[in-house]
Amino acid sequence: MAKKKSEFENPYEEKCSIVYAMSLIGAKWKIPVLWHLAHYEILHYNELKRHLKGVTNTVLTRCLRELEQDSIVLRKSDGSVPPSVTYELTDLGKELIPALNGLYKWGDDHKTNASKI
Amino acid sequence: MAKKKSEFENPYEEKCSIVYAMSLIGAKWKIPVLWHLAHYEILHYNELKRHLKGVTNTVLTRCLRELEQDSIVLRKSDGSVPPSVTYELTDLGKELIPALNGLYKWGDDHKTNASKI
DNA sequence: CGGAATCCCAATGGATACTG
DNA sequence: CAGTATCCATTGGGATTCCG
């Protein structure tokens, strides 16, 4: 689940569905990562990194690990040298696509000087 | 815009639409706030706070102020004593409703022990 | 190529108390 | 009721370096 134990420490203070959803995908780069995987279907690590201008290895890797642990993205690696690792959405992740597209479109409709992708 | 100046300090490193969207509504409580406003249409401050179990005054107020500055929520106050203040989505905020519902449904479909609202 | 290991830090979240 | 005012703590994001 990749989340703090304390979040459920009081069973009488459970979170609503939207808070739960955001606990899984609410980190700064997670939704951008998911949107790009939704858009390109499958990406190599460095491709993904290039699309997400500004993210560092540390952050991107942590982000992908958590999403993988939560079964939202799938990591595929052959053991070759040099390594080739791809990321794609799981079925669970694919269920987010409509919402991701909605967020993207909203941003796209209203941003002024951000780039298209 | 309620965001760090540094985010656009380099005009050649513009953000994609989804990153832009998240810069506006990506804070921990913003999407939960917006979803509840979408669901209930209009809420008093304390009603909203009750629905968002666990949020503190400081955080909720900061969150609402930013959303208000970004023209995503509308704050209505009569000047009465005791005060009565309501919050609702602006037209811009309402355009987020489909995406919010998508996120909510995803969380709802897959959470195990979070409460329904 | 696709990371891991460190270390660092500002920003955000949060606790508490108080108020017009 | 709807917030402010302080102050503290966390943590996630980031820079840098190194590696199989």
Side-chain angles (χ1 to χ4, degrees):
Chain A
M1 286 297 254
K3 57 179 184 49
K4 292 145 293 188
K5 323 159 198 53
S6 62
E7 287 187 1
F8 278 138
E9 66 186 3
N10 185 347
Y12 298 107
E13 290 197 344
E14 296 167 340
K15 298 174 303 189
C16 76
S17 298
I18 192 94
V19 176
Y20 171 78
M22 297 316 290
S23 73
L24 294 180
I25 61 168
K28 174 172 175 181
W29 289 102
K30 284 188 181 179
I31 286 183
V33 162
L34 294 174
W35 185 86
H36 281 89
L37 291 179
H39 190 72
Y40 293 101
E41 296 192 356
I42 185 163
L43 287 172
H44 284 264
Y45 179 87
N46 274 335
E47 290 177 323
L48 182 56
K49 190 188 168 191
R50 266 191 299 277
H51 287 299
L52 299 167
K53 299 190 206 319
V55 74
T56 61
N57 282 332
T58 318
V59 172
L60 179 55
T61 299
R62 276 205 307 241
C63 185
L64 287 168
R65 291 281 178 275
E66 291 184 10
L67 290 171
E68 190 191 357
Q69 283 175 30
D70 293 334
S71 302
I72 297 169
V73 306
L74 180 64
R75 178 183 187 272
K76 283 184 182 170
S77 166
D78 58 2
S80 68
V81 177
S84 174
V85 179
T86 58
Y87 291 92
E88 57 194 298
L89 296 179
T90 62
D91 288 343
L92 177 56
K94 286 175 185 167
E95 294 180 40
L96 279 167
I97 292 180
L100 295 169
N101 285 335
L103 290 173
Y104 179 88
K105 183 173 187 318
W106 183 84
D108 196 51
D109 286 347
H110 301 294
K111 73 186 159 64
T112 52
N113 54 348
S115 63
K116 282 293 180 185
I117 289 186
Chain B
M1 289 292 260
K3 60 179 180 49
K4 292 147 292 192
K5 322 159 198 55
S6 62
E7 289 188 359
F8 279 137
E9 67 186 2
N10 184 348
Y12 298 106
E13 290 196 344
E14 295 167 340
K15 298 173 303 187
C16 75
S17 299
I18 192 92
V19 176
Y20 171 77
M22 297 315 291
S23 75
L24 294 180
I25 61 168
K28 174 171 175 180
W29 289 102
K30 284 188 181 178
I31 287 183
V33 162
L34 295 173
W35 185 85
H36 281 89
L37 291 179
H39 189 73
Y40 293 101
E41 295 191 357
I42 185 163
L43 287 172
H44 285 264
Y45 178 87
N46 274 336
E47 290 176 323
L48 182 55
K49 189 187 168 191
R50 266 191 300 277
H51 286 299
L52 299 167
K53 298 190 206 319
V55 74
T56 60
N57 282 331
T58 318
V59 172
L60 179 56
T61 299
R62 277 204 307 241
C63 185
L64 287 167
R65 290 281 179 275
E66 291 184 10
L67 290 171
E68 189 190 359
Q69 283 175 32
D70 292 333
S71 302
I72 298 168
V73 307
L74 181 63
R75 178 183 187 272
K76 283 185 183 169
S77 165
D78 58 1
S80 67
V81 176
S84 174
V85 179
T86 58
Y87 292 91
E88 57 193 298
L89 296 179
T90 62
D91 288 342
L92 177 56
K94 287 175 185 168
E95 294 180 38
L96 278 167
I97 293 180
L100 296 169
N101 284 335
L103 291 173
Y104 179 87
K105 183 172 187 319
W106 184 85
D108 196 50
D109 286 347
H110 302 294
K111 72 186 160 61
T112 52
N113 53 349
S115 63
K116 283 293 180 184
I117 289 184

